Structure formats: C-alpha cells, structure tokens
Amino acid sequence: MRKLLVFQHAATEPLGVLDPMLRQRGFRIRYVNFARNPDARPDVARYNGLVVLGGPMNVDQVERYPHLAAEVEAIREAMSRELPVLGICLGAQLLASALGASVRPHTVREIGWYLLHPTAAAREDRLLRHFDGSQPVFQWHAYTFDLPNAAVLLASTDSCSHQAFRFGERAYGLQFHLEADEPLIRRWLAVPAYRAEIDPSQMERILEDTHSHVAPALQLSEKVFTDFIELFSWRPRKKVVLENR
C-alpha cells in the first residue's frame, strides 16, 4: 500500500477532492495537522510522497510557527529522495523557500476566481498540459515567491506572475486551489478570520463566480491530480543530495 504524508495547517484546509481520488486508488493518507500538533516531526522516509497544503500563516512567520522551518527541511528531504511532492498555496511557497527562492508579501491580494495563463512550457508538462488556454481558478493568497533556480514556470495570472512551477520531474508548486469544490470554498468563506480578509462588496461576486466556474475547474482538477497520482508509479532512484541554497 502506498503511503502519502500530508502537511496540514488548519482543519478547514484538507486535501479536498484529491482525498477521495487517492483513497480510491488504495493510498493510505496520514495527515499531520500542525495547528493541533506543532511539534510533530514526521519521518518523510517512511512515505511514498508528500503534499503540503495551504494555511492562514505565512512563510516568514517562523518565530510564531517554528514548524514551518521543519516543513522546509522535510520538503528538502522528500525531494532528495525523489518522492512526488505537491505544494498548494502556502505549500507552494514553502516548496519555493525550500529551493532557496524568496517568498514575500505580494502587492495584490488574490481572493476569488482569476484567469490562469499557462506558459508555453505547460503544454509539454505532465500535469499542466490539461489547461486548454486561460481558465479560471480559485485563489486565496497575499504572498508570492520568486521562481526557484532551475525550476520551470508553468502558469501566471495578470496580477501574479508565478502561479505554478515544476522542479525536476516530481515536485510541483501550485499557488491556486484546484482541490477546492464549492462546499469547501463556502466553508472558507464562512470562517470569520478568513472572511475578514475579503472586501464585503466582493462576497456576492465570489459566490456567483464559484457557482459559474467550479464545475469546469473540477473537471480540470481531476485530470491534473490523476496525473500527479501517476507520478507514484515511477521508481525513485537512490537518494540524491540537493545543492545548498
């Protein structure tokens, strides 16, 4: 049985639609919720892959959330073992940080649905090839990251140039939320601390856009996540040493 390690930062931010896809394919999933157990230090070597989810904290808040530094080290360990790694939102920022890239507050807070523009490289990418031109995706972030050295940029939006990247063949960072269906998005919108980040005048628009865009987004997520799961069928080579960054 293949075992997946999942770093979670809030109970309200699970794997979403990716969870049943993994379970249907026989994966055993271990969630490590750092909000409940901030001192957890799971051994990446015991697992076949790693997913790092979003959360309400930021990469530069290590003093308040020391587990963020431990997560960065775990991400590096997973990549050195050539395990499949997927970072979503905060997880993508942690992946970028693990690769030595700068992560910082963005000039624009993206909350809601934004057109995602795949790059030319995305057409040849195992996961992002499923984007047929620009398509709306759900966003919720106030930080951005530089593209790590040797990483391949796969997508951008008009207001945020680094939205998706691949490092090597098995590590992906997605700033956006393909895992979120309509009930999960509505759940986020109902959390008082999350809701406080939104201009009240935009709430109705976000709900309307969610109703309009979520069905095609979920069709896209099924294709993208199916191909991510296929990465687990690759036989990893021996552990490699990443360059100091």
Side-chain angles (χ1 to χ4, degrees), residues 2-174:
R2 290 172 291 185
K3 297 185 294 184
L4 177 69
L5 181 62
V6 178
F7 289 169
Q8 187 177 26
H9 306 97
T12 51
E13 301 195 34
L15 281 169
V17 299
L18 180 54
D19 188 297
M21 293 179 66
L22 289 160
R23 295 186 190 277
Q24 289 167 7
R25 290 163 174 81
F27 278 79
R28 181 179 178 182
I29 302 171
R30 183 195 173 191
Y31 280 93
V32 176
N33 187 334
F34 287 103
R36 296 174 181 168
N37 188 6
D39 297 324
R41 298 295 183 267
D43 183 4
V44 172
R46 297 176 56 192
Y47 298 89
N48 303 108
L50 173 66
V51 175
V52 186
L53 297 171
M57 65 286 295
N58 298 306
V59 173
D60 57 6
Q61 294 181 296
V62 175
E63 289 189 7
R64 184 176 178 183
Y65 304 102
H67 60 80
L68 293 171
E71 290 183 66
V72 166
E73 290 305 313
I75 292 169
R76 289 175 177 155
E77 174 71 11
M79 288 191 294
S80 76
R81 295 179 177 276
E82 296 193 302
L83 301 179
V85 176
L86 175 64
I88 297 173
C89 199
L90 172 62
Q93 297 165 13
L94 287 167
L95 175 59
S97 180
L99 291 166
S102 171
V103 182
R104 62 192 180 281
H106 193 28
T107 56
V108 176
R109 183 188 295 268
E110 287 187 328
I111 303 178
W113 292 85
Y114 291 76
L115 275 178
L116 190 79
H117 311 301
T119 64
R123 292 196 293 268
E124 305 299 324
D125 181 75
R126 187 180 183 94
L127 272 58
L128 272 291
R129 62 190 172 91
H130 297 294
F131 279 81
D132 184 15
S134 300
Q135 295 183 239
V137 296
F138 190 75
Q139 306 268 5
W140 198 314
H141 68 101
Y143 272 55
T144 189
F145 49 82
D146 289 340
L147 186 68
N149 290 336
V152 178
L153 181 64
L154 298 173
S156 64
T157 60
D158 291 341
S159 48
C160 185
S161 58
H162 298 154
Q163 284 282 348
F165 69 91
R166 185 188 74 244
F167 183 81
E169 298 299 325
R170 309 183 90 184
Y172 283 85
L174 306 180

Side-chain angles (χ1 to χ4, degrees), residues 223-238:
K223 295 175 183 177
V224 171
F225 289 149
T226 294
D227 277 348
F228 172 70
I229 292 170
E230 286 298 315
L231 293 177
F232 288 81
S233 65
W234 296 13
R235 183 182 299 277
R237 298 190 292 272
K238 64 181 181 179

